[in-house]
Amino acid sequence: MSWRDLMCGDARSGDVGRAVTLAGWVARRRDHGGLVFVDLRDHTGVTQLVLNPERAPEAAALAGELRNEFVVQASGQIVARSAETVNPRMATGEVELAVDRLVLVSRSTPLPFQLDEENVDETLRLRYRWLDLRREKLQRNLRLRARMVGLIRRHMEAAGFLDIQTPILYKSTPEGARDFVVPSRLHRGRFFALPQSPQTLKQLTMVAGFDRYYQIAICFRDEDLRADRVQELTQLDVELSFPARDDLFRTMEEMFGTVWRECLGIEIPTEWPRMTHAEADRRYGSDRPDTRFGLELEDATEVTRASEFGVFATADAVRFLRVPRLFSRAEIAALEEVAKERGAKGLAYLARDGNGELRSPIAKFLSEREVEALDPKPEETLLFAADARAVTSRVLGHLRLHLGRQLGLIDDDAFTFLWVTDFPMFEWDEEQGRWTAVHHPFTRPTDEWRDRFDQDPGAAVANAYDIVVNGNELGGGSFRIHEPDLQARVFALLALSEEQQRSQFGFLLDALGMGAPPHGGIALGIDRMTMVLAGEPNLRDVIAFPKNQAGLDPMSGAPTAITQEQLDELGLRVVVPEEPS
Ligand code: ASP
């Protein structure tokens, strides 16, 4: 006997008269004076079972025991529903199963939440994740993810990339986050680090002559959590030798084209716009611009250099958004709060009403020449940020997104992919008092900066790029340094002593010294890609068993304490922070 010969979502009018067996979960039970109706569900959909005491007295009696999420097997005959009971909202709505035999396969304890309940507390959902995953949305998200990963694999293999697995127990790989570490029992006092990415390893596959590598890799980054960030992420990791940037870009564009076509039925452009990091910052105040709408930043630094409005005259940069509408005082106050979220001290504005009158507390300080140059049109409001240039980008980039949403400027059905290229190589870390790599320390400078990046590190440009869609960074990569001397110079600029270079990356420097081909690659966040593909705002809802926002797993309780015996074996002693008295 087989458990089932039809899936719950598959019964159609063409099946009328067939004797079939279904198996699945009870989604709902209704008693109608003798007749019992049961919605039987599996991942394909729902079929209505009808239990009639006259047709099948035993089955009908048993049906009284059924509760939501019990597992049952039902055999009977597919029959047509009467015209007035046809349900056009259900794919199986023209038919039902007249049950002859019912088997109660498995019971369920009372449910902590109903599967169709909205707004269930996330911790509760994660605690009972197996139930949560039975829900339609999570089924859809995870199936979409699996489909996408399958397409990616086939695409990469067809393009000649080889799937090579790299270790999880490894050594620190710098991607700028904190490491997760694992103590070694065999070598007490020593620790593995979980890879933040397979970066150094994939470079070694190039030195080893594999030429084209890919992997769906798990990466671990011990960083603070946010709605769109997890500590255990999945990447499509890619590397190739003797790379041409256009070839790599095309491979990725085609891959996304296939995924979007097969998963969503949407054709996206085959060639994406490219924008340098400097341009993205200038026009959008962001390194991951949402180009679904305009509202670009404008610059008034020069125009206001001699302004009587002191804030403008003295600021490093004065930039603004030209918004095609007038705001009430209360609305301006709300926008000011939004600007302050990103470090603005205030929000100066200049508006011209429908009668051509200027409306602004700062208008009296601005000269005619300044107003003329700023050129507010009737019914327009200019919103200013005057600060260090980076702050103006942050503030106006954030405000732009806020206004895009608030004013309905964003087309929710659009996908605007682009490449952001030519990232800066280094940024100054105030806290550590040293330069750090914007991408990672293996990223090559552009040819122009190759010999002189150390003379002006803040201005040096890297051969690095990101894929951005609708304001989301989906991933990024770079061409790498394949010359040991150049690598050592970059390490030195990052204030790694020769000793540290040897102890942390000696193997890589050795490898680069033994015939390293030019190489480069990219890594894409599979979780983030699924989010965008599914239109799912919560990153955890595209992951089967995620940790919660505090980095804990409410289902298993992980992380948990280990036994004293395990601690002894590992040579570890736990120092519990003192409870404040
Ligand atoms: N390893 C890099 C990252 O995870 C990507 C790359 O450079 O290929 O961001």
Side-chain angles (χ1 to χ4, degrees):
M1 182 211 73
S2 62
W3 279 105
R4 52 188 180 177
D5 43 33
L6 193 67
M7 299 301 282
C8 294
D10 288 349
R12 295 289 183 277
S13 48
D15 296 308
V16 168
R18 268 181 76 189
V20 300
T21 301
L22 301 178
W25 286 262
V26 173
R28 206 147 73 104
R29 195 202 75 199
R30 278 154 299 149
D31 292 330
H32 274 276
L35 286 186
V36 181
F37 294 92
V38 173
D39 286 347
L40 193 69
R41 186 198 68 236
D42 63 24
H43 73 86
T44 63
V46 171
T47 293
Q48 175 164 284
L49 313 182
V50 189
L51 294 117
N52 185 338
E54 281 166 25
R55 179 177 177 130
E58 261 180 56
L62 183 60
E65 274 188 49
L66 300 185
R67 299 288 178 273
N68 282 359
E69 300 311 307
F70 279 26
V71 177
V72 300
Q73 185 195 37
S75 309
Q77 198 179 31
I78 300 283
V79 297
R81 294 200 200 184
S82 61
E84 67 280 8
T85 58
V86 164
N87 182 348
R89 288 192 312 274
M90 276 171 84
T92 62
E94 292 189 353
V95 297
E96 56 199 12
L97 183 74
V99 178
D100 294 313
R101 186 170 156 272
L102 186 72
V103 181
L104 204 173
V105 179
S106 196
R107 291 171 184 272
S108 167
T109 51
L111 298 169
F113 53 84
Q114 296 301 319
L115 266 66
D116 57 2
E117 206 174 316
E118 307 261 333
N119 302 323
V120 180
D121 169 62
E122 194 179 35
T123 305
L124 192 66
R125 286 173 46 204
L126 292 175
R127 164 75 182 83
Y128 298 98
R129 189 62 162 177
W130 55 87
L131 280 183
D132 197 28
L133 286 170
R134 259 183 227 162
R135 281 131 92 69
E136 208 180 314
K137 183 178 86 164
L138 289 172
Q139 284 278 325
R140 179 173 45 89
N141 287 356
L142 287 161
R143 284 170 195 282
L144 192 65
R145 179 182 177 126
R147 181 126 181 259
M148 178 186 82
V149 170
L151 289 163
I152 289 175
R153 285 190 179 284
R154 287 191 287 282
H155 178 84
M156 295 310 289
E157 309 238 320
F161 288 81
L162 193 72
D163 178 0
I164 300 178
Q165 216 173 328
T166 54
I168 295 294
L169 294 179
Y170 193 53
K171 184 173 161 133
S172 188
T173 50
E175 296 286 352
R178 208 175 279 118
D179 285 325
F180 277 102
V181 295
V182 179
S184 162
R185 178 183 60 84
L186 294 175
H187 305 281
R188 268 193 183 198
R190 289 163 72 168
F191 295 81
F192 294 103
L194 306 182
Q196 292 185 33
S197 86
Q199 184 59 39
T200 48
L201 293 154
K202 71 171 168 176
Q203 290 189 236
L204 295 183
T205 67
M206 296 299 108
V207 182
F210 283 104
D211 216 69
R212 291 186 160 211
Y213 144 100
Y214 91 96
Q215 182 182 193
I216 305 286
I218 318 277
C219 308
F220 305 87
R221 299 178 186 180
D222 187 0
E223 45 193 0
D224 295 333
L225 294 142
R226 289 197 308 237
D228 65 345
R229 212 197 246 167
V230 284
Q231 294 180 325
E232 191 177 331
L233 52 136
T234 311
Q235 283 189 344
L236 164 65
D237 198 36
V238 177
E239 195 76 7
L240 63 166
S241 292
F242 306 108
R245 203 171 72 169
D246 286 350
D247 290 346
L248 174 65
F249 281 17
R250 194 167 331 110
T251 304
M252 291 296 113
E253 287 162 352
E254 284 170 2
M255 184 187 81
F256 275 90
T258 304
V259 169
W260 254 247
R261 185 178 318 113
E262 299 290 322
C263 292
L264 299 181
I266 291 177
E267 289 296 332
I268 56 169
T270 46
E271 224 177 285
W272 305 341
R274 298 177 190 185
M275 191 183 291
T276 63
H277 178 272
E279 184 183 348
D281 180 70
R282 180 168 53 76
R283 293 174 56 190
Y284 300 98
S286 170
D287 56 9
R288 47 184 169 99
D290 188 340
T291 53
R292 284 176 297 178
F293 66 106
L295 206 65
E296 295 185 15
L297 277 58
E298 295 183 38
D299 200 303
T301 314
E302 286 313 312
V303 182
T304 55
R305 253 334 45 159
S307 185
E308 272 177 42
F309 185 47
V311 177
F312 282 4
T314 55
D316 174 31
V318 181
R319 296 160 83 195
F320 65 94
L321 291 172
R322 182 182 295 280
V323 191
R325 60 162 283 179
L326 300 174
F327 296 101
S328 69
R329 243 176 244 274
E331 284 171 328
I332 291 278
L335 291 173
E336 181 162 6
E337 287 312 308
V338 174
K340 284 181 175 169
E341 287 168 14
R342 289 295 187 277
K345 291 178 204 78
L347 183 66
Y349 67 94
L350 179 67
R352 194 186 288 283
D353 65 20
N355 303 324
E357 295 297 317
L358 288 181
R359 282 211 242 143
S360 159
I362 64 164
K364 56 179 179 287
F365 300 112
L366 300 178
S367 68
E368 227 169 86
R369 195 187 62 83
E370 281 173 299
V371 174
E372 202 170 293
L374 295 168
D375 192 21
K377 306 260 175 5
E379 307 275 344
E380 246 180 26
T381 306
L382 314 188
L383 300 171
F384 291 88
D387 214 308
R389 191 184 157 87
V391 178
T392 62
S393 291
R394 249 192 351 249
V395 168
L396 294 179
H398 180 58
L399 208 51
R400 174 179 174 270
L401 290 180
H402 177 86
L403 287 163
R405 281 190 292 269
Q406 191 184 47
L407 306 180
L409 304 177
I410 301 177
D411 174 359
D412 285 328
D413 295 327
F415 290 101
T416 54
F417 284 88
L418 73 148
W419 292 98
V420 177
T421 64
D422 299 81
F423 275 74
M425 234 181 132
F426 307 105
E427 64 195 345
W428 182 253
D429 186 319
E430 276 306 333
E431 242 167 67
Q432 299 184 46
R434 65 175 187 96
W435 292 102
T436 55
V438 168
H439 189 212
H440 51 55
F442 319 113
T443 296
R444 103 166 284 97
T446 56
D447 290 345
E448 194 193 326
W449 283 94
R450 189 185 178 290
D451 297 323
R452 60 186 179 94
F453 65 85
D454 22 19
Q455 287 162 24
D456 188 359
V461 177
N463 193 342
Y465 32 77
D466 274 0
I467 292 179
V468 172
V469 63
N470 299 357
N472 296 289
E473 182 217 317
L474 291 186
S478 60
F479 279 23
R480 326 295 183 191
I481 295 165
H482 63 273
E483 309 90 323
D485 54 333
L486 181 57
Q487 185 64 75
R489 269 173 60 211
V490 170
F491 282 152
L493 188 100
L494 297 171
L496 279 182
S497 69
E498 239 159 84
E499 215 183 326
Q500 288 167 318
Q501 294 183 27
R502 278 315 306 171
S503 73
Q504 288 181 38
F505 304 113
F507 65 102
L508 182 73
L509 291 169
D510 289 348
L512 294 182
M514 294 185 191
H519 57 287
I522 193 163
L524 299 171
I526 293 286
D527 313 291
R528 200 73 73 79
M529 271 177 80
T530 316
M531 251 176 113
V532 173
L533 200 62
E536 169 59 65
N538 183 349
L539 188 58
R540 291 179 294 281
D541 278 352
V542 298
I543 299 171
F545 298 102
K547 312 279 183 294
N548 69 7
Q549 255 183 312
L552 306 170
D553 173 21
M555 185 174 74
S556 70
T560 47
I562 56 174
T563 62
Q564 189 58 46
E565 199 184 342
Q566 285 173 304
L567 287 172
D568 292 343
E569 268 176 356
L570 295 166
L572 294 179
R573 197 170 59 226
V574 176
V575 181
V576 185
E578 269 178 60
E579 297 280 338
S581 51

